[in-house]
Amino acid sequence: MKKYIYSLLFMMTVSSCSDFLDTVPTDFITQKNYFKTETDVNTALTGIYDVLGKTGTYGRTIYFELDISDESFNGLSQQTMDLSLNNYDASDVKVHNLWTLLYDGINRANIFLENIDNEDLNMNPEKVKTAKGEALFLRAYYYFLLVTNWGDVPLKLESTKSVSEVNMARTESEVVYNRIVADMETAFSMVQPASAYAYNSRITKSTIAGILARVNLKMAGYPLNKTERFEEARKWALVVMDTENGHELNPDYKQIFINHCQDIYDTKECLWEVEFGKVATGGQEEEGSLGAITGIGNSDKAFGYSYGAMRTTERYYRSFEEGDLRRDWTINNYYYGTVNGISNTHVPYSDAQIYNRSNAKWRREYETATPKNVGTTPINFPILRYSDVLLMFAEAENEVNGPTDEAYEAVNQVRRRAYGLNLPVPPADIPSDVELPENLDQTDFRLRVQKERSLELGFEALRRFDLIRWGIYISTMRDLSNEIKNTAPSSYKYAGRTADNTSDRHLLLPIPSLEIALNKLMKQNPQW
């Protein structure tokens, strides 16, 4: 069993079928007199974390259907309508489930924060403070996912107490962002440092600082364009980079993802992961799909079944430079075949077979937990890695001070690891094409950081988010559409479906139709 808050106590179940404003929760403990012991607190806190691991969030939707961009396409060719194809409407069940789950998490956090200060609670005050900080941060993070995907959303800071609490108007996104930042900064002072835990699925100071860098970068870009926020992003990235926190790059890029498959925690590289665990009977504690819906396609259930549904685009494959070791780990250079009677043999792809290849960061052949399920895996999903923090710092530093030596070094740390040179290497021994070219101006450095984020963080639910905040999502997808039409093999022309469908309205998701029907103050997003 994995050492995680989910497995400390029994998991609380949640129904995602009811609208968050329509009903009073019946599956979450709401009695004021419940919070009497540390076990009570941990159980309720577990329920807030639980939302992260649902199929409708980081179990699948956020990194598969919601993040298909110029890096990848949905390889299930028989589909014509889906969130992953940018061909959906306000009645789409995945859109509805994501909205509902996030508000479920917010409501759970509100209940927790309203009731934890119970005078009858028998618990160390420092532990109470830590738990409150985690709940406060998670509520803010769920709002961050909501506001980035829907824009203006209802800001609900009290739990649902009556069936009459149905009608709530949308709050301006800038107000929501400001509340997110305020709550995360408060939570930072309450939670423990990363060194307090031997695992990385619990909220720590490093988690919050890194996510605050991400939030502030979003605020500095589209749609708010509050460029003064670059300084805040820089500040919070530096907090994580402080050597006292002990974070550093794993020397071997591929080992990051092998560790996820083998239930090995790397708290230096991975600052925050969503935990997925397998119970002794072979069932799932949480319904993760890494390596099963993604991964290298394989029909062998014992070896590790995978749909291999998230395919790479030729644009993404060719964006990697010669010698970059990340390419053939992020994107598989072999498939599983039978050779001389031996099944699951690695058979190399030809140079022309690019669209056949998949998101291969998480490979089930490395999965150690058995028996292996067909549709789900216990592989953790990394929400935040140290390399992401380095690249966020470089981006923010460049916007504030230009391409300084510090900005260069942050990017070059990531690039040296990509070429197998992560250990200290004398400058004279570093090949000239490994590090960034010298004397880049601010614009060119910005473009290099944008590219590096894709090379380093591909398939980690950040590309669409980045393209939108940089204001280039629509133009990028239109360029991709033209490229696929002109260059893809005829059997893979369908790879351009998502790009073909993309229009201005896809900068935001539609408010779910059920929410519109129930909430008389709710207004739909433009063009939906």
Side-chain angles (χ1 to χ4, degrees), residues 304-325:
Y305 188 96
S306 174
Y307 290 95
M310 197 173 194
R311 301 289 186 86
T312 188
T313 62
E314 182 172 358
R315 164 187 278 212
Y316 185 46
Y317 180 83
R318 298 201 184 283
S319 67
F320 289 88
E321 299 161 18
E322 189 67 28
D324 190 333
L325 302 177

Side-chain angles (χ1 to χ4, degrees), residues 354-365:
I354 295 178
Y355 285 94
N356 308 65
R357 309 182 193 209
S358 302
N359 164 4
K361 278 189 169 177
W362 298 275
R363 307 183 183 195
R364 299 200 69 183
E365 63 186 281

